[in-house]
Amino acid sequence: MKSAWVERDAQVTVAHYAKAGIAPDLALRVYTTRLLGRDPKLVLHGGGNTSVKMRLRDLNGDDTEVLCVKGSGWDMGNIEPAGLPAVRLENLRKLRMRDALSDEDMVKVQRANLIDPTSPNPSVETLLHTFLPHTFIDHTHSTAVLGIVDQPNSRDLCEEIYNGRMGFVRYVMPGFGLAKEAGEVFDKNPKVEGLILDKHGIFTFGDDARQAYERMIDMVTLAEERLRKNRKSVFVTAQLPQSAGALSEIAPILRGAVALPDAKIEGAWKRLVFDFRTSDAIRNFVDGADVQRYARVGVITPDHTIRTKNWPMIVPAPDGGKLADFKQAAKIAAGEFIDHYKAYFARNNDRAGGTKTMLDPAPRVILVPGLGLFGLGRSKKAAKVAADLAEAAVEGITDAEAIGRFSPIGEEDMFDMEYWSLEQAKLGGAKEPPLAGQIAVITGGAGAIGFATAKAFAAAGAEVALLDLDGDAAQDKAKAIDGAALGLPCDVTDDASVRAAFDMIAETFGGVDIVVSNAGGAWQGRIGEVNDETLRKSFELNFFSHQRVAQNAVRIMLAQGTGGCLLFNTSKQAINPGPNFGPYGLPKAATLFLARQYALDYGADGIRANAVNADRIRSGLLNEEMIASRAQARGLSEKDYMSGNLLQREVTADDVAQAFLHQALALKTTADVTTVDGGNIAAALR
């Protein structure tokens, strides 16, 4: 591992923050924290922490010695000075004289000593930074170091590697106890350059930012060099089927297997979003004949347990020609995982006094021999975090097995960490949005109604995929929603294009739960004078495309076995045809009945089908030119034309989006047609 310190960049950082009155030491603390946080071999997703001791003026104007330490919730890779809240050092140092301090009291004391009371909570390892005398202190969960400390003889290995340059701290759960233990280890040998925390990670320190940072690089490099020494081959490959099958077929099967019925809401499911990873290293790991042993021992560092659970779900290798058998095997594996987790919780909760409430028992990592691994989460972001940590585990466990035998913390310690109140606080207690864990597909996604619908569903917690004939526009709209949204080119009049798009969505997110079939085009003409070519083109886009989209959605929904929701944009023309709009209205009327047919045929599978009839929505179909033309033909102003309904209000794309969202949330509504037109008696269904 090489140092990423660049002197010019460091000075630019100092100069930049000086304009805001930030002292050089704090600016350099930000600089090196980012260097550490941007290297995934050192830090992943909020792990690790850093600190600097300095003097600041408090709110009373008094010069005060403080510790600026990483705040909970901040990511080291993009930290700002505000992410290093300052706490009074003198008061915190006094805590070392205590024999015990509860986690809750520790947090209270730390908050009580914040210089700025609006700052985030200081790191749970603040006291460890406090009890060490150094100006700069760095802490990471280096994958290489974990490969060393996750061994039965970790102390001996560290003495061999570091030859007295690093202190060795036995495993203690983070908090006051670990801080005191680390302080005592340092006091026995104040010349050490850092501390190795058994089964946990590494601390280094120094008099300046560069020294602490480059000591981290040096010590991690020594671990890497040891891992390359006397390394043995690992993971003999198991005998596997010749072909695992397509990822787009495997993912929905697994996603359905791990979904849990919502005990509070009939018809609802607790679904998970997937993130797939594969590589030579991952395949070497998951394809191993002994994978059940080394993959299920535990986590490479306790910090991972709240995001990945303590072991992955492992399924039998799929055979692409026998997916029905694999579906049954996946259900059995999921049931065994959940039963195992419940038993683990029960026996450890008894030990803890029965005070804990069990978390969601579904897995957060799935290993699939012959294919790769999936990270799982209630959002794509959470799934990516789980997948990143799973990849780090693959590397760490592989390293450990290559020089010895992977031996992390035991079950009781893992439970104490997983159900530690301070770790749980990292995940936040905010109420989940209503569509969390669900995947929504919107065709015509770059248009006015499609984009408004995609935004509404994303705001409700769904992961969204926008399909549009203009793939670049779909991608631009997806980027405008959030980093997880997917924009894809798709010609809904082409079978292969639609199937390819749905397969890509299944590969990206794991499956499909909601489809808004929205793409359409408005052909006009007096029906007795319209040629067959025009009518067939309109039917192809305004009817057959909806059937094509629905078929592909149902294909995936049935593989998942957790129901789903089909939503169709049918327009008021389906009920109330307008003059010279027959080529548009006729296929729309057929699509309305298509929705009802899906409701009839797939209701027993939990798949709902509903339609929205909207009128006079500014969009690609009803553009400014058409609005002007139709208003003039009726002798109305454009405003009066657009608000020509019972409520005398213009209806917008956002109104249509909210109607689709309502239908998606109405778990006991199917074969419904919702009218969104401001009131048009001629188009009313009842």
Side-chain angles (χ1 to χ4, degrees):
M1 179 168 283
K2 293 183 179 179
S3 170
W5 177 285
V6 177
E7 183 63 29
R8 182 177 179 278
D9 291 346
Q11 294 310 312
V12 167
T13 302
V14 170
H16 169 74
Y17 286 114
K19 297 174 184 176
I22 303 298
D25 273 0
L26 184 54
L28 290 172
R29 177 70 290 173
V30 169
Y31 174 66
T32 53
T33 300
R34 289 177 179 175
L35 294 183
L36 295 169
R38 291 171 182 173
D39 190 333
K41 291 186 178 296
L42 296 174
V43 172
L44 281 171
H45 301 295
N49 42 71
T50 61
S51 70
V52 58
K53 298 179 178 74
M54 54 191 296
R55 302 193 73 85
L56 290 177
R57 290 196 180 278
D58 64 17
L59 295 177
N60 293 323
D62 297 329
D63 187 59
T64 307
E65 188 181 13
V66 300
L67 174 78
C68 295
V69 62
K70 197 198 86 165
S72 290
W74 278 84
D75 191 305
M76 288 172 63
N78 54 23
I79 202 164
E80 293 286 346
L84 291 153
V87 288
R88 299 175 188 275
L89 261 177
E90 182 181 359
N91 291 341
L92 294 188
R93 282 175 174 149
K94 293 177 183 177
L95 296 174
R96 192 174 177 187
M97 304 303 295
R98 296 196 184 188
D99 293 328
L101 181 67
S102 72
D103 296 327
E104 289 73 20
D105 285 346
M106 179 183 72
V107 172
K108 290 176 183 177
V109 171
Q110 290 176 180
R111 281 213 63 82
N113 283 281
L114 284 168
I115 294 296
D116 181 351
T118 66
S119 295
N121 280 344
S123 166
V124 296
E125 288 166 327
T126 292
L127 294 185
L128 198 159
H129 290 261
T130 299
F131 296 167
L132 297 172
H134 308 84
T135 303
F136 287 83
I137 299 177
D138 297 349
H139 170 46
T140 74
H141 301 137
S142 157
T143 305
V145 170
L146 294 173
I148 299 296
V149 298
D150 284 334
Q151 298 281 348
N153 61 333
S154 53
R155 183 186 290 271
D156 293 340
L157 280 170
C158 288
E159 289 177 358
E160 170 199 331
I161 294 166
Y162 297 114
N163 193 28
R165 293 176 64 188
M166 299 287 285
F168 185 87
V169 182
R170 66 185 178 88
Y171 177 76
V172 178
M173 191 167 156
F176 177 73
L178 176 60
K180 286 202 69 170
E181 182 80 12
E184 290 167 6
V185 169
F186 174 78
D187 288 347
K188 291 176 182 176
N189 185 5
K191 294 183 180 181
V192 295
E193 300 168 48
L195 300 172
I196 298 295
L197 274 56
D198 196 25
K199 319 301 184 190
H200 181 156
I202 175 174
F203 277 79
T204 56
F205 22 77
D207 296 327
D208 58 59
R210 184 169 188 171
Q211 184 182 48
Y213 165 73
E214 293 194 334
R215 278 179 172 173
M216 177 65 70
I217 301 305
D218 290 345
M219 299 307 168
V220 171
T221 299
L222 289 173
E224 290 175 335
E225 290 172 351
R226 178 60 182 85
L227 290 171
R228 290 192 289 267
K229 182 180 177 183
N230 300 327
R231 192 178 179 94
K232 66 178 185 288
S233 297
V234 292
F235 311 147
V236 175
T237 302
Q239 189 171 5
L240 303 174
Q242 285 194 335
S243 174
L247 173 60
S248 60
E249 294 179 314
I250 299 297
I253 290 173
L254 291 173
R255 186 162 178 263
V258 299
L260 298 173
D262 190 325
K264 297 179 181 178
I265 306 173
E266 185 179 5
W269 291 83
K270 290 283 188 179
R271 298 176 173 97
L272 295 168
V273 181
F274 281 27
D275 191 73
F276 178 69
R277 306 291 172 87
T278 194
S279 65
D280 289 344
I282 290 172
R283 285 292 304 275
N284 181 49
F285 186 90
V286 303
D287 292 358
D290 203 16
V291 66
Q292 291 283 351
R293 175 187 64 79
Y294 55 74
R296 292 170 57 86
V297 178
V299 289
I300 60 172
T301 181
D303 194 64
H304 290 186
T305 184
I306 58 173
R307 294 175 175 86
T308 65
K309 296 198 179 295
N310 296 311
W311 57 86
M313 171 177 152
I314 305 173
V315 296
D319 184 333
K322 300 177 181 178
L323 290 182
D325 292 344
F326 176 69
K327 187 171 185 177
Q328 183 62 29
K331 287 182 178 179
I332 293 171
E336 290 175 345
F337 180 97
I338 291 168
D339 289 344
H340 181 59
Y341 185 87
K342 288 178 177 178
Y344 148 83
F345 173 81
R347 60 178 172 268
N348 284 284
N349 190 36
D350 285 345
R351 175 181 57 83
T355 60
K356 307 295 184 181
T357 300
M358 190 178 72
L359 302 172
D360 161 17
R364 289 302 184 268
V365 176
I366 301 177
L367 307 185
V368 187
L371 199 65
L373 67 81
F374 292 94
L376 285 60
R378 290 285 282 164
S379 67
K380 183 65 173 178
K381 180 179 179 181
K384 285 182 175 180
V385 169
D388 285 345
L389 298 181
E391 280 202 80
V394 165
E395 182 177 351
I397 295 171
T398 301
D399 284 342
E401 291 280 314
I403 67 166
R405 192 175 184 88
F406 177 53
S407 178
I409 58 174
E411 179 183 288
E412 291 186 1
D413 287 323
M414 285 190 286
F415 179 86
D416 291 343
M417 194 70 184
E418 184 177 7
Y419 283 86
W420 185 30
S421 60
L422 301 189
E423 277 297 290
Q424 290 298 296
K426 289 183 179 181
L427 298 180
K431 183 180 178 181
E432 279 193 325
L435 292 180
Q438 298 204 46
I439 299 155
V441 182
I442 298 98
T443 68
I449 293 175
F451 182 49
T453 302
K455 288 191 294 181
F457 276 69
E463 305 302 328
V464 296
L466 290 75
L467 309 186
D468 202 280
L469 187 61
D470 186 339
D472 290 339
Q475 290 177 10
D476 289 342
K477 295 294 186 182
K479 289 176 184 176
I481 293 175
D482 65 43
L486 181 66
L488 292 174
C490 180
D491 179 355
V492 292
T493 68
D494 180 79
D495 289 338
S497 180
V498 174
R499 184 175 183 103
F502 273 81
D503 284 350
M504 178 58 70
I505 293 163
E507 292 175 6
T508 302
F509 296 115
V512 171
D513 303 302
I514 302 165
V515 169
V516 181
S517 191
N518 167 68
W523 278 268
Q524 301 181 55
R526 197 174 180 187
I527 194 63
E529 300 168 7
V530 172
N531 59 46
D532 284 356
E533 182 182 1
T534 299
L535 198 57
R536 289 180 189 280
K537 283 183 179 179
S538 183
F539 263 91
E540 189 61 47
L541 180 57
N542 292 311
F543 172 75
F544 285 107
S545 74
H546 294 287
Q547 162 68 348
R548 195 172 287 115
V549 166
Q551 280 182 317
N552 277 277
V554 166
R555 168 175 63 89
I556 294 174
M557 290 173 182
L558 291 177
Q560 294 172 159
T562 55
C565 185
L566 305 174
L567 302 175
F568 299 87
N569 186 343
T570 58
S571 166
K572 77 98 183 178
Q573 293 290 328
I575 302 299
N576 176 216
N580 300 323
F581 258 82
Y584 177 62
L586 288 169
K588 283 294 187 180
T591 298
L592 186 150
F593 282 89
L594 179 71
R596 290 184 165 179
Q597 194 67 46
Y598 270 99
L600 180 64
D601 288 348
Y602 292 96
D605 298 296
I607 297 174
R608 295 172 291 120
N610 298 303
V612 168
N613 284 348
D615 188 28
R616 297 189 187 181
I617 310 298
R618 293 180 190 269
S619 65
L621 297 185
L622 186 59
N623 56 33
E624 297 302 319
E625 182 181 351
M626 183 179 289
I627 291 171
S629 171
R630 298 188 74 80
Q632 183 178 11
R634 287 165 172 76
L636 300 171
S637 68
E638 292 182 20
K639 180 179 182 301
D640 288 342
Y641 171 71
M642 293 302 293
S643 59
N645 53 54
L646 297 178
L647 296 175
Q648 298 181 14
R649 299 170 187 166
E650 180 175 344
V651 183
T652 69
D654 288 332
D655 297 320
V656 180
Q658 289 303 313
F660 280 129
L661 179 59
H662 168 75
Q663 290 181 331
L665 293 170
L667 296 178
K668 296 183 181 179
T669 297
T670 191
D672 173 63
V673 181
T674 298
T675 300
V676 186
D677 60 8
N680 178 356
I681 291 298
L685 287 166
R686 293 179 179 175

